[in-house]
Amino acid sequence: MQQKDTSTADCASEKIVARTIASVDELEAIADQWRELARRQGDPLSYFQSADWCLSWCRAALSANGQAPELHTQTIWQGDQLVCIVPLMSERKYGLNTLVALGAPESQYSGCMIDPALTDRTVVKDWMAGLRKNSPFDCVLFDDLPASSALFPKTQASGIMFDRDNATMVMDLSGFEKPEDIDASMTAKSRKNQKTKMKRLARYGEVELEVLFGGEPRYKEALRLAMDWKRDWLEEKGQPLNADRNERLHTQLACLPMEPSTKDLPVQCAIM
């Protein structure tokens, strides 16, 4: 695995090294360490920076158009241990070379994963400052960066400002430990609306509810049918979905792994 060293600093007895990962193969090679970092870090809004989400997006992009995304993912290592990752890629649009979150536009928010044991975060701050001074990009876009992200104070310290009034809705399910908790939190009005919809469906035949997990053949079939319905509905509304994006999204979601024991299970279930 070839990686570019961009900065170093001493921390305790081990060096902190920042490296840029520029290929999907390199990203695949650190998948296990990436998942281990996910278990250690504490940001509840980081699923779209996870190995499962980002790598499945890369594979789907390659399958859809034959081209791998141009990665510029930033990693920080303390010895042999991955202690921080900022999944990023470049996107060329309207004549501009833009640095965006890996997985855009499907990834719902930007962010990073960082080990809480990494107390000396000078290297993160230096990297953020470098984006403004010697970046090869015309624009750096951290779309929908949650205030809980470790990147948020670093962007401000680097002179990157946010409009605090520009709040957007993100899928924050961090308050739920399992999918059943989401159902239990439904209001009486929501439950009533749900029952009404089920009664309407029952007019066309018996309705049965069954949970299908990601990766299963029947799940893939149901997903294809649901996305075809969504595509037809959008076309009726005069908002057709780009064919390449539709196929890429189906490929990704159909193969997105689902781990019943993970803390991200509510988010995974909501996506699927």
Side-chain angles (χ1 to χ4, degrees):
M1 179 172 65
Q2 295 182 347
Q3 297 172 316
K4 177 183 176 184
D5 289 0
T6 58
S7 62
T8 60
D10 286 322
C11 181
S13 60
E14 294 180 306
K15 284 186 176 180
I16 295 179
V17 182
R19 299 170 182 157
T20 299
I21 291 183
S23 74
V24 177
D25 287 342
E26 292 176 72
L27 209 57
E28 292 270 14
I30 67 167
D32 290 341
Q33 292 155 301
W34 192 350
R35 293 187 179 98
E36 180 58 34
L37 172 61
R39 286 188 281 269
R40 297 195 310 270
Q41 65 94 37
D43 186 359
L45 292 178
S46 59
Y47 179 73
F48 293 100
Q49 285 71 54
S50 69
D52 288 343
W53 175 265
C54 291
L55 290 174
S56 65
W57 191 93
C58 290
R59 297 185 198 107
L62 183 61
S63 175
N65 54 33
Q67 292 183 336
E70 188 174 335
L71 301 185
H72 293 275
T73 291
Q74 304 300 312
T75 64
I76 297 177
W77 301 77
Q78 185 171 350
D80 295 329
Q81 188 174 59
L82 179 66
V83 293
C84 179
I85 186 166
V86 189
L88 299 169
M89 66 180 186
S90 66
E91 182 179 69
R92 288 177 171 81
K93 197 172 184 180
Y94 306 122
L96 295 176
N97 185 20
T98 305
L99 186 66
V100 300
L102 176 57
E106 282 75 38
S107 294
Q108 198 179 50
Y109 46 77
S110 305
C112 71
M113 288 187 175
I114 191 165
D115 193 327
L118 180 64
T119 56
D120 182 0
R121 301 187 179 184
T122 306
V123 67
V124 182
K125 183 179 178 179
D126 291 346
W127 169 72
M128 294 294 301
L131 286 178
R132 302 192 70 199
K133 296 179 179 178
N134 22 356
S135 171
F137 303 100
D138 301 307
C139 177
V140 178
L141 178 62
F142 291 142
D143 198 18
D144 295 331
L145 181 63
S148 64
S149 173
L151 280 187
F152 191 82
K154 302 303 178 185
T155 52
Q156 291 184 313
S158 301
I160 302 173
M161 304 304 294
F162 293 89
D163 180 2
R164 291 184 175 274
D165 294 329
N166 185 22
T168 59
M169 292 293 291
V170 298
M171 192 178 346
D172 183 3
L173 301 180
S174 57
F176 304 101
E177 293 185 2
K178 51 187 182 297
E180 292 80 4
D181 293 342
I182 301 176
D183 292 334
S185 69
M186 290 177 61
T187 64
K189 183 177 180 181
S190 296
R191 292 183 185 281
K192 182 178 180 181
N193 291 337
Q194 187 181 65
K195 290 180 180 179
T196 300
K197 292 177 181 178
M198 293 294 290
K199 288 180 180 179
R200 290 175 180 171
L201 286 173
R203 298 172 185 172
Y204 303 94
E206 185 178 356
V207 178
E208 294 183 5
L209 298 180
E210 182 179 359
V211 176
L212 301 177
F213 290 96
E216 295 179 352
R218 292 179 60 208
Y219 169 78
K220 296 181 180 181
E221 296 170 3
L223 177 65
R224 170 62 73 186
L225 180 60
M227 293 191 70
D228 287 344
W229 287 345
K230 183 63 176 287
R231 182 199 60 214
D232 294 343
W233 179 78
L234 287 172
E235 289 179 351
E236 291 176 2
K237 296 290 184 179
Q239 301 173 348
L241 188 65
N242 178 279
D244 289 341
R245 182 183 176 190
N246 186 58
E247 186 59 34
R248 185 183 72 223
L249 188 57
H250 174 267
T251 300
Q252 179 190 9
L253 296 182
C255 300
L256 188 63
M258 186 172 182
E259 301 179 33
S261 60
T262 180
K263 62 183 178 182
D264 289 319
L265 185 58
V267 178
Q268 294 179 38
C269 290
I271 292 172
M272 296 179 177

